[in-house]
Amino acid sequence: PAGGWEPVAVLSEAVFAHMLRLPRQIFAPVFYSGVISDLCLKIPTFPKYMSACVRYAVEKIDSMDLECSSRLSQWNAYHLSAFQFQWPFERWGWTNFPGLPPHDRRRVYAEDCFASLQRLAYHEHITKKVPEALHPLVVASQPSPDKSFDGEEAEKKVDMMAQLIYKKRSADDFVVHLEGAQEMPKYVVVAIFSIGGKSFTHMRTLLGRYRKVIDLFAQDRPHDVLDVLLGVWGAHLDKFMMAFACVLEAGIVTDADALRWCARPEGTRALCRSRAAVLWAVAESSMAACCGVAAGDGGISDGAKREHEAAAAEFWGGLCEELGRAAGGEWTAHCLQKCQGLARSHSVVLAPLILEVVGGCADETAKAAITTALQCHERCA
């Protein structure tokens, strides 16, 4: 080519640069997936340069922003589904990823890719198409609830409550039956979440039908509801988030409650010392909602704004405190990148709220990274 450069290579790099743009993409993710698919079909040499970009990105993923690698993994899943799983898994070393430590960015990337892929293709089809060595990174085809997280005896009681739910016993019958039984309302709630996991419709119906029993269990303790939900569906992110959306919709918990739940010592420890995919999903969802309320104009009371601002500040305070203690841990870099992405996404609202909180962080690296992310709106203005 004239000048020693290849236009299709530049085009490929430009598309990926656009897709991975920070702080946010200009178009919806599906736009980039569609554009790249069309280019692969219409320009014979494009797949070669596209694959070079992806291979280089995965090889250097330790230096890539976590939000960018998450976007790339979602695109990668779409591309695998659209092109019959044609991918050089062995040649690019993907088959070695399951043997890497859980916190290794390459393994995390592959796990995210397969998690996204399972929303686009059947589990059996995926396991048939990808090398057997990668099967450990593909989650179970039919996720099942964990009813035994409180022990075998508790599981038997949950099954008893489930039978009564299947017989459509009324909420009033349950309330009368459970009066004075301290632990029994909890088993009913476990049964509700377990059965409701089949679909949004099942979950909404059961939450509405047995709201009195849930209120009897929660008694103004929304964290208890989230603890039970985590116990039942904590191993299956999509199921948990489906149920979480339903309990928010029903008003059983609020986004401010959810942020404070994440901000508890056990929550911040998990966020800083493990992958904690469920807790991060809750934090990201509820932080967006709280910042939306805090930034809202007409129709939102000052009291509601203060409540949601306080929940956001409490979350960041707890997280910064734990980051100071967890510095140098295996998952600290992952947590810090998550923090940066969260702060960057809502910097306009969060900067005046939490700059002082972040300034008190004992870990200088964390303090500098989050402070820089909070100033993103000034640099991008």
Side-chain angles (χ1 to χ4, degrees), residues 22-24 65-67 259 262 271 279-291 311-312 315-316 319 334-351 354 358 369-377:
L22 293 173
R24 59 187 61 84
D65 187 275
L66 194 60
E67 186 176 341
L259 272 189
C262 293
L271 290 168
L279 286 175
W280 277 116
V282 170
E284 288 165 357
S285 172
S286 293
M287 185 63 70
C290 286
C291 288
F315 171 81
W316 283 100
L319 200 55
H334 177 272
C335 175
L336 193 50
Q337 290 230 13
K338 281 285 191 181
C339 290
Q340 283 183 286
L342 204 54
R344 188 169 53 219
S345 297
H346 309 291
S347 58
V348 174
V349 175
L350 289 177
I354 67 168
V358 173
I370 299 172
T371 301
T372 301
L374 287 170
Q375 294 166 348
C376 174
H377 65 286

Side-chain angles (χ1 to χ4, degrees), residues 8-309:
V8 180
V10 176
L11 173 63
S12 176
E13 291 181 13
V15 172
F16 279 102
H18 211 279
M19 182 174 76
L20 303 179
R21 177 180 181 270
L22 293 173
R24 59 187 61 84
Q25 299 164 314
I26 294 176
F27 302 108
V30 70
F31 169 83
Y32 301 100
S33 299
V35 166
I36 293 172
S37 294
D38 285 348
L39 289 171
C40 285
L41 293 171
K42 296 182 185 304
I43 303 177
T45 57
F46 186 82
K48 178 177 74 171
Y49 295 107
M50 176 211 73
S51 63
C53 287
V54 179
R55 183 175 188 178
Y56 181 80
V58 176
E59 285 177 353
K60 302 294 183 182
I61 205 159
D62 280 339
S63 58
M64 180 183 283
D65 187 275
L66 194 60
E67 186 176 341
C68 292
S69 63
S70 178
R71 290 183 200 170
L72 191 65
S73 70
Q74 290 171 22
W75 163 80
N76 208 158
Y78 176 92
H79 190 81
L80 286 170
S81 175
F83 288 90
Q84 291 77 51
F85 294 80
Q86 296 178 46
W87 200 256
F89 294 109
E90 290 95 344
R91 187 155 51 86
W92 286 8
W94 281 47
T95 48
N96 298 323
F97 291 176
L100 298 173
H103 63 275
D104 189 282
R105 290 285 301 276
R106 289 164 295 175
R107 177 176 174 141
V108 170
Y109 177 85
E111 287 176 348
D112 287 347
C113 179
F114 288 128
S116 298
L117 188 57
Q118 286 190 269
R119 302 180 191 122
L120 303 170
Y122 289 110
H123 178 270
E124 293 75 14
H125 186 61
I126 297 171
T127 53
K128 187 190 299 183
K129 292 288 188 178
V130 304
E132 190 174 349
L134 287 169
H135 290 185
L137 302 184
V138 183
V139 297
S141 58
Q142 295 182 335
S144 56
D146 181 2
K147 297 179 286 185
S148 63
F149 65 93
D150 262 356
E152 289 184 15
E153 194 62 34
E155 185 176 7
K156 293 176 183 176
K157 293 176 181 177
V158 170
D159 288 335
M160 287 170 50
M161 297 300 106
Q163 290 305 313
L164 295 175
I165 291 173
Y166 284 128
K167 291 176 182 176
K168 297 189 177 178
R169 295 288 293 271
S170 71
D172 290 329
D173 287 343
F174 270 111
V175 170
V176 171
H177 179 69
L178 299 173
E179 191 172 357
Q182 261 189 336
E183 287 296 316
M184 293 306 285
K186 178 179 181 178
Y187 302 138
V188 180
V189 175
V190 173
I192 289 167
F193 286 145
S194 299
I195 299 169
K198 293 176 181 176
S199 69
F200 273 104
T201 301
H202 282 82
M203 189 66 74
R204 286 172 176 144
T205 300
L206 291 177
L207 291 177
R209 183 181 297 162
Y210 296 109
R211 178 61 183 269
K212 285 183 181 179
V213 185
I214 296 169
D215 289 343
L216 180 66
F217 165 67
Q219 294 179 343
D220 298 322
R221 298 191 310 274
H223 293 179
D224 290 354
V225 175
L226 293 173
D227 283 338
V228 169
L229 183 53
L230 184 66
V232 175
W233 290 114
H236 305 285
L237 176 60
D238 286 350
K239 291 288 187 182
F240 180 96
M241 292 307 291
M242 178 195 76
F244 177 63
C246 290
V247 296
L248 284 174
E249 183 183 276
I252 296 167
V253 300
T254 66
D255 284 299
D257 293 330
L259 272 189
R260 289 193 168 101
W261 177 67
C262 293
R264 296 181 306 170
E266 55 267 46
T268 55
R269 272 196 301 273
L271 290 168
C272 295
R273 300 170 191 268
S274 66
R275 187 166 188 200
V278 166
L279 286 175
W280 277 116
V282 170
E284 288 165 357
S285 172
S286 293
M287 185 63 70
C290 286
C291 288
V293 172
D297 296 322
I300 300 175
S301 68
D302 289 341
K305 287 184 179 182
R306 285 194 296 271
E307 169 72 8
H308 287 77
E309 287 173 353

